[in-house]
Amino acid sequence: QVQLVESGGGLVQAGGSLRLSCVASGSIFSINAMGWYRQAPGKQRELVAHITSGGRTNYADSVKGRFTISRDNAKNTLYLQMNSLKPEDTAVYYCSAKIVTVLPGTKDYWGRGTQVTVSS
């Protein structure tokens, strides 16, 4: 069993910053790519940022230059540093990871999400 748990969401005013964390735990052999997605009310889920096991990153155009994705492989932890937040960043943010488990198999796992609300 693998679990992803996000933390760090909350209410922040426009222009502020938040740092999201996602900790993966369980019978993990290795973690390949990881990413942050978000879903605003009435909107489709979108990719925010993605990072490979080697640290190569890419970002949605809407967050490029403001958000930074990183990971600590020793701690099985994913981060999203969000700066210069805008009201349109308001969404539930989900952590996702492609994980190779100790019991053989590779699967995409998802956290339950953390709410980010940016006031204007």
Side-chain angles (χ1 to χ4, degrees), residues 17 21 23 28 30-31 43 59-60 62 67-68 71 78 83 103:
S17 297
S21 299
V23 179
I28 298 170
S30 64
I31 303 178
K43 306 293 185 180
Y59 298 88
S62 60
F67 292 8
T68 302
R71 62 192 288 171
L78 177 72
N83 298 325
L103 294 176

Side-chain angles (χ1 to χ4, degrees), residues 27-82:
S27 300
I28 298 170
F29 181 78
S30 64
I31 303 178
N32 294 331
M34 304 184 78
W36 288 99
Y37 292 73
R38 67 187 182 188
Q39 188 166 26
K43 306 293 185 180
Q44 59 191 346
R45 185 173 298 189
E46 64 173 341
L47 174 68
V48 176
H50 174 274
I51 185 167
T52 69
S53 61
R56 187 169 63 253
T57 62
N58 54 54
Y59 298 88
D61 288 342
S62 60
V63 308
K64 201 171 298 180
R66 299 188 296 121
F67 292 8
T68 302
I69 188 170
S70 61
R71 62 192 288 171
D72 185 335
N73 291 333
K75 298 170 67 174
N76 287 339
T77 300
L78 177 72
Y79 303 97
L80 185 68
Q81 179 66 47
M82 304 185 295

Side-chain angles (χ1 to χ4, degrees), residues 1-4 24 27-35 95-111:
Q1 183 179 356
V2 173
Q3 185 178 24
L4 303 181
S27 300
I28 298 170
F29 181 78
S30 64
I31 303 178
N32 294 331
M34 304 184 78
C95 171
S96 181
K98 187 179 294 292
I99 296 176
V100 181
T101 56
V102 173
L103 294 176
T106 302
K107 182 182 176 181
D108 291 337
Y109 290 86
W110 293 85

